[in-house]
Amino acid sequence: MATRRSPRFKECRRLGVNVCGHPKALDRANSPAFKKNHKQSEYGLQLAEKQKVKAYYGILEKQMLRAYKEAARSNGNTGEQLLISLECRLDNLVYRMGFANSIRMARQMVSHGHMLVDGKNINIPSFKVKVGSTIQLVEKSRKSEQFKNCFLSQNRAPLSYITRDEQNFACTFSALPQRKEIPVDVKEQLVVEYYSK
């Protein structure tokens, strides 16, 4: 299975936003060594926004293109539909629900069989979760101090489309997110322009 293995902090500095969610990711961003002096072209801006989306969701180009084509076929704003579709991925929801402290950790938890979706063990990170589904940590994994610490202490900023049940180490994907609720700093229209050429 192909995964993104590029240096995370370097990618955050290049894109100018904290795509990996680590508190120290942009510590050196204002250093003179990383200052950009050239003006970006229109294509460069579009490419940067597309790279941001890929980095936020931890996906590769093939998966990104597939998600874009799916969004283009759906009704409504293509850019918004793209982000909503990516937000429904299992690995992303595991991260958003607080089971993991990064998208990479969430992906690994899913592929190693630590998560249940409506009582079934799903180990496909790109699995599309339906509204109303419950995502839960498997019984055996609840003994892990790292997983417990992540879910109960570190990630306690609930999103409006997620309902947490801390007692049972479970969360419910209660509604499709609106664009304003999705915590990603991207101009999705530029991504649409990039792919529609």
Side-chain angles (χ1 to χ4, degrees):
M1 179 175 64
T3 55
R4 294 170 62 91
R5 299 187 186 276
S6 56
R8 295 179 302 159
F9 288 12
K10 190 184 281 187
E11 186 171 48
C12 291
R13 288 195 298 269
R14 189 179 74 247
L15 297 172
V17 288
N18 189 350
V19 291
C20 68
H22 195 286
K24 295 183 179 179
L26 291 174
D27 278 2
R28 295 165 61 202
N30 296 323
S31 167
F34 303 113
K35 213 162 193 179
K36 293 178 185 172
N37 296 319
H38 63 280
K39 189 181 175 186
Q40 262 191 317
S41 66
E42 189 183 336
Y43 172 78
L45 291 169
Q46 292 167 356
L47 178 64
E49 292 304 312
K50 183 203 60 145
Q51 299 293 64
K52 273 189 208 175
V53 175
K54 283 170 59 181
Y56 269 121
Y57 292 99
I59 58 176
L60 300 172
E61 183 59 36
K62 196 173 178 183
Q63 295 166 308
M64 178 72 179
L65 186 57
R66 193 183 306 130
Y68 169 76
K69 286 178 178 174
E70 189 183 305
R73 286 193 300 269
S74 63
N75 297 324
N77 183 300
T78 303
E80 288 183 15
Q81 292 302 319
L82 170 65
L83 293 181
I84 291 167
S85 169
L86 291 172
E87 203 66 20
C88 295
R89 283 172 57 101
L90 178 56
D91 57 352
N92 178 71
L93 283 172
V94 167
Y95 172 49
R96 295 275 187 249
M97 289 170 172
F99 290 108
N101 57 25
S102 71
I103 193 74
R104 287 186 180 185
M105 180 179 171
R107 187 182 181 87
Q108 190 175 49
M109 284 176 76
V110 173
S111 58
H112 287 197
H114 294 290
M115 307 309 300
L116 299 173
V117 179
D118 292 332
K120 293 179 184 172
N121 197 304
I122 306 285
N123 62 359
I124 303 164
S126 61
F127 178 81
K128 283 282 166 61
V129 180
K130 292 177 180 163
V131 172
S133 295
T134 300
I135 298 172
Q136 192 172 26
L137 198 59
V138 298
E139 191 80 42
K140 179 173 73 171
S141 303
R142 295 177 202 178
K143 294 170 188 163
S144 164
E145 283 303 316
Q146 186 182 17
F147 295 162
K148 273 165 67 176
N149 189 36
C150 270
F151 188 63
L152 300 175
S153 314
Q154 291 180 12
N155 298 298
R156 303 202 64 176
L159 296 160
S160 56
Y161 50 94
I162 289 166
T163 310
R164 286 167 64 94
D165 176 6
E166 294 188 354
Q167 201 165 357
N168 295 312
F169 287 87
C171 288
T172 303
F173 183 39
S174 49
L176 274 179
Q178 301 297 310
R179 172 59 187 103
K180 60 187 177 190
E181 298 171 318
I182 299 174
V184 295
D185 180 16
V186 294
K187 297 183 180 93
E188 62 273 12
Q189 187 53 39
L190 292 179
V191 180
V192 175
E193 289 170 16
Y194 175 88
Y195 280 117
S196 57
K197 284 181 177 177

